[in-house]
């Protein structure tokens, strides 16, 4: 375990501030009816902002230095990450054994006019179920996800999500979850059932060994 | 049907250019190991780029003026939209009755270290299946989506996606799809089966009437 020093804390805060700015930009760029010339000016400003960030980048086999894979700190998770431009973000807490998520989806998440893309709902629920599975002490990878759409999910409306483990059988964990409007939590809009499968040690080593060994098992000075 | 005039074509091109800039920024901001002070400078530049775009925005009941809902032009679709910061984007074409999609996922789509988030795969497949369903002449909304994960989906690797209608029964259309690496298309990583349900006229009016009437049925001068 790494000590969380001031420099790391400041970096995590900066990543969150950058994430907030990115999410504002993404939503404004999706919703804007600014004149065409203004869109081109924005594109130029954005390329200028992107360039210095691209000078020093990690590969897919390097975890972000601000993350902590062992402690589960993932600042760029595309559903919950404070630093992710793709995440609404969903904020998750636990009430007993149930994971509760909250978010509001902007126009960037639109599928059918004025409603969320069906794939977005599946993505949010995969994350809710995965969170519940991980925090039940039985972490695993998604093996199957069944998403049932009962009613469309409105944009610009506070949502309440749930995720809960309902069964554990050896390496197989089953979880269920729902999406509802926050002001009507009993009226389910979308629900999902997922089967998660714990990795055997050799599977985990094969899949994640390259990342973990670069980050956590290299000889360190000092 | 609106005539596509030069101004609209230029606007659509500008939205695509803005989309390219946004996707570059999102990926660089996810992958960057630039110093913390550089992250804060980028956040400030991004807020400056976002502000003028936010001065004139549509609500969720206004479709984008550059879109054409009737002709299926959706520049901000979060999977395929040229203007979407969230879309990889997936580019889709048809080979016979099969929809074929191509994309490469960056670090912004990461779930397990070095692989795509499971929810991202579900989202891509929902789009592939929906595309096949729409182009079969039986458009509908997702009723159920079953996603099965056989192997993890690597980032930074060209992917090949498929979507195909396999059954039509009255208002219910069934479609299947797959994700594979482009250089090994027969080795399925993720597959999905979806049930799509055509809306009855009164359902379509209830769900989309507010958007469609504002866009297409208002009295127009000239």
């Amino acid at each position: 375990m790494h000590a969380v020093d001031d420099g790391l804390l400041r970096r995590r805060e900066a990543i969150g501030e950058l994430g907030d700015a990115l999410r504002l930009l993404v939503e404004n760029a999706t919703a804007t009816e600014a004149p065409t010339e203004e869109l081109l000016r924005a594109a130029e400003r954005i390329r200028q902002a992107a360039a210095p960030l691209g000078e020093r980048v990690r590969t897919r086999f390097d975890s972000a230095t601000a993350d902590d894979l062992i402690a589960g700190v993932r600042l760029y998770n595309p559903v919950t990450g404070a630093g992710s431009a793709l995440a609404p973000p969903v904020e998750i807490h636990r009430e007993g054994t149930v994971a509760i998520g909250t978010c509001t989806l902007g126009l960037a998440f639109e599928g059918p006019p004025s409603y969320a893309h069906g794939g977005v709902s599946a993505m949010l629920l995969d994350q809710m179920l995965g969170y519940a599975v991980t925090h039940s002490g039985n972490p695993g990878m998604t093996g199957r996800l069944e998403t049932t759409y009962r009613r469309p999910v409105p944009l610009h409306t506070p949502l309440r999500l749930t995720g809960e483990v309902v069964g554990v059988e050896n390496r197989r964990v089953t979880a269920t979850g729902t999406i509802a409007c926050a002001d009507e939590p009993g009226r389910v809009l979308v629900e999902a059932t997922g089967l998660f499968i714990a990795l055997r040690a050799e599977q985990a080593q094969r899949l994640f060994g390259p990342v973990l060994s670069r980050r956590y098992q290299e000889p360190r000075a000092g």
Side-chain angles (χ1 to χ4, degrees), chain A:
Chain A
M1 187 78 71
H2 297 260
V4 178
D5 63 20
D6 284 353
L8 180 54
L9 282 180
R10 277 195 299 117
R11 185 167 185 85
R12 288 180 176 169
E13 281 173 21
I15 288 169
E17 185 177 328
L18 180 53
D20 285 338
L22 287 166
R23 288 184 289 268
L24 172 69
L25 172 64
V26 167
E27 187 59 15
N28 282 5
T30 308
T32 193
E33 289 294 349
T36 297
E37 294 311 310
E38 192 63 60
L39 304 186
L40 295 171
R41 270 194 293 275
E44 179 56 27
R45 287 194 191 101
I46 291 164
R47 286 190 290 265
Q48 286 172 12
L53 298 177
E55 283 172 18
R56 203 170 125 196
V57 293
R58 60 192 167 95
T59 75
R60 78 176 180 102
F61 298 110
D62 298 299
S63 58
T65 56
D67 277 355
D68 185 336
L69 300 185
I70 309 296
V73 176
R74 301 294 304 277
L75 293 166
Y76 300 102
N77 179 292
V79 178
T80 59
S84 169
L86 277 54
V90 177
E91 300 195 352
I92 308 182
H93 67 277
R94 275 181 288 172
E95 296 182 4
T97 59
V98 183
I100 305 290
T102 57
C103 71
T104 298
L105 300 174
L107 282 161
F109 299 92
E110 187 176 54
S114 81
Y115 297 102
H117 192 286
V120 169
S121 294
M123 184 163 172
L124 301 187
L125 284 167
D126 180 61
Q127 180 70 28
M128 291 302 302
L129 272 50
Y131 180 98
V133 166
T134 298
H135 285 82
S136 75
N138 305 283
M141 304 258 292
T142 316
R144 181 190 292 266
L145 181 71
E146 296 183 9
T147 310
T148 303
Y149 299 83
R150 304 212 174 282
R151 302 173 178 90
V153 175
L155 303 176
H156 291 171
T157 305
L159 301 175
R160 181 178 187 273
L161 295 75
T162 66
E164 185 175 17
V165 169
V166 295
V168 180
E169 193 180 342
N170 298 322
R171 295 191 304 118
R172 301 158 73 90
V173 182
T174 303
T176 62
T178 61
I179 301 177
C181 293
D183 67 0
E184 209 171 352
R187 185 169 174 266
V188 172
L189 306 178
V190 186
E191 61 195 323
T193 299
L195 172 66
F196 291 75
I197 302 166
L199 297 178
R200 289 184 296 265
E202 72 272 19
Q203 289 176 309
Q205 176 58 30
R206 178 169 51 80
L207 293 176
F208 306 124
V211 175
L212 291 172
S213 64
R214 282 166 81 127
R215 179 66 183 274
Y216 294 101
Q217 289 162 28
E218 279 172 3
R220 227 173 282 144

